Amino acid sequence: MTELDTFPPRHQKKQKRRYRLTRRGWLAVVILLFLVVVLAEQCIKDKPQEAIYPELIGNVAVITDLIPSEYAGRTGIKRTIKWIVIHETGNTAASATAENHNSFLHSEKQMNNTTSWHYTVDDHEIYHHLPDDEVGYHASDQLTPDGGNACGIGIEICVNDGGDYQQAVDNAARLTAYLLDSYDLGLKAVKQHGDFTNKNCPERLREGEHWEEFLKQVKQYL
Ligand SMILES: [Zn+2]
């Protein structure tokens, strides 16, 4: 038996070690990529929760009128719910009610528009436009991991002239509390649109102490 039969030549040994290191490196890259993909789409990868369709919040009727499934606003992307994302419509026209926002979402010009949200609340009605377990594009953060779109239910509060804004906010607080209860979320799940992007929304609720007051209202309805 020669030395060569027993021991691999030194250069072969070296090559083998280098090969092993490379393989380990690749394995690390693959594991890292896998984790990035899984974590990036956490809400979307999770088992979707069963969506609820409330009919009455306090004394306010909830009208479910889902955006047609062939519209671009209906992403069809199912996910779990982590946030309730509060918006204000920013439209002070007297006609900018929940009903008219619902009509807008159903209009032909919205057919190819991906912007969509789940609820619009005014002083006397709530419209439900999108199943809660379906992603809507309302938080200006695409499908950012743990983001407002990927994981949030979007609620628009009307600020229409002639409407009772405080009542609309109260209705939104009741709806938010109801959704927190239904999806087993805490008060910390209540977010502003502005938490996910550099946008001053909900504009009025972000002034002074109004946001803290809103959270207190939500807490009182839990
Ligand atoms: Zn907003």
Side-chain angles (χ1 to χ4, degrees), residues 76-87:
I77 304 169
K78 299 291 180 182
R79 48 69 191 275
T80 50
I81 297 147
K82 284 183 89 170
W83 318 120
I84 311 293
V85 186
I86 305 297
H87 302 259

Side-chain angles (χ1 to χ4, degrees), residues 101-114:
H101 276 93
N102 184 60
S103 299
F104 166 77
L105 285 173
H106 286 74
S107 66
E108 250 179 59
K109 63 180 172 187
Q110 276 299 104
M111 226 170 171
N112 299 312
N113 190 342
T114 52

Side-chain angles (χ1 to χ4, degrees), residues 137-209:
Y137 287 100
H138 52 88
S140 334
D141 65 347
Q142 291 84 41
L143 289 179
T144 301
D146 286 334
N149 287 337
C151 316
I153 296 176
I155 298 178
E156 290 279 358
I157 304 174
C158 291
V159 296
N160 52 311
D161 279 348
D164 182 345
Y165 172 71
Q166 288 310 326
Q167 185 60 55
V169 169
D170 192 65
N171 295 343
R174 283 182 190 270
L175 173 64
T176 301
Y178 187 88
L179 294 172
L180 290 179
D181 270 344
S182 302
Y183 295 117
D184 203 20
L185 298 168
L187 201 61
K188 282 187 178 163
V190 185
K191 298 284 183 187
Q192 305 175 2
H193 180 182
D195 289 334
F196 298 101
T197 188
N198 186 24
K199 195 169 180 191
N200 189 19
C201 179
E203 198 174 345
R204 294 185 188 180
L205 283 181
R206 282 161 70 101
E207 284 169 15
E209 301 292 306

Side-chain angles (χ1 to χ4, degrees), residues 2-72:
T2 65
E3 202 183 331
L4 277 176
D5 291 326
T6 326
F7 303 102
R10 275 174 181 267
H11 72 272
Q12 269 194 30
K13 231 178 179 177
K14 263 186 187 168
Q15 269 187 354
K16 206 172 181 188
R17 200 176 295 151
R18 208 178 293 146
Y19 171 70
R20 270 190 196 151
L21 273 175
T22 310
R23 210 167 71 163
R24 223 176 284 161
W26 275 113
L27 196 66
V29 168
V30 167
I31 289 170
L32 209 71
L33 280 175
F34 176 76
L35 284 175
V36 165
V37 170
V38 167
L39 292 174
E41 296 178 2
Q42 229 170 25
C43 292
I44 291 161
K45 291 280 180 183
D46 281 347
K47 193 172 171 280
Q49 281 153 302
E50 203 175 316
I52 54 150
Y53 294 89
E55 293 177 356
L56 200 66
I57 297 293
N59 297 321
V60 177
V62 183
I63 299 140
T64 297
D65 189 13
L66 299 181
I67 299 167
S69 56
E70 67 273 21
Y71 274 37

Side-chain angles (χ1 to χ4, degrees), residues 91-102:
N91 187 345
T92 54
S95 60
T97 59
E99 185 184 7
N100 281 341
H101 276 93
N102 184 60

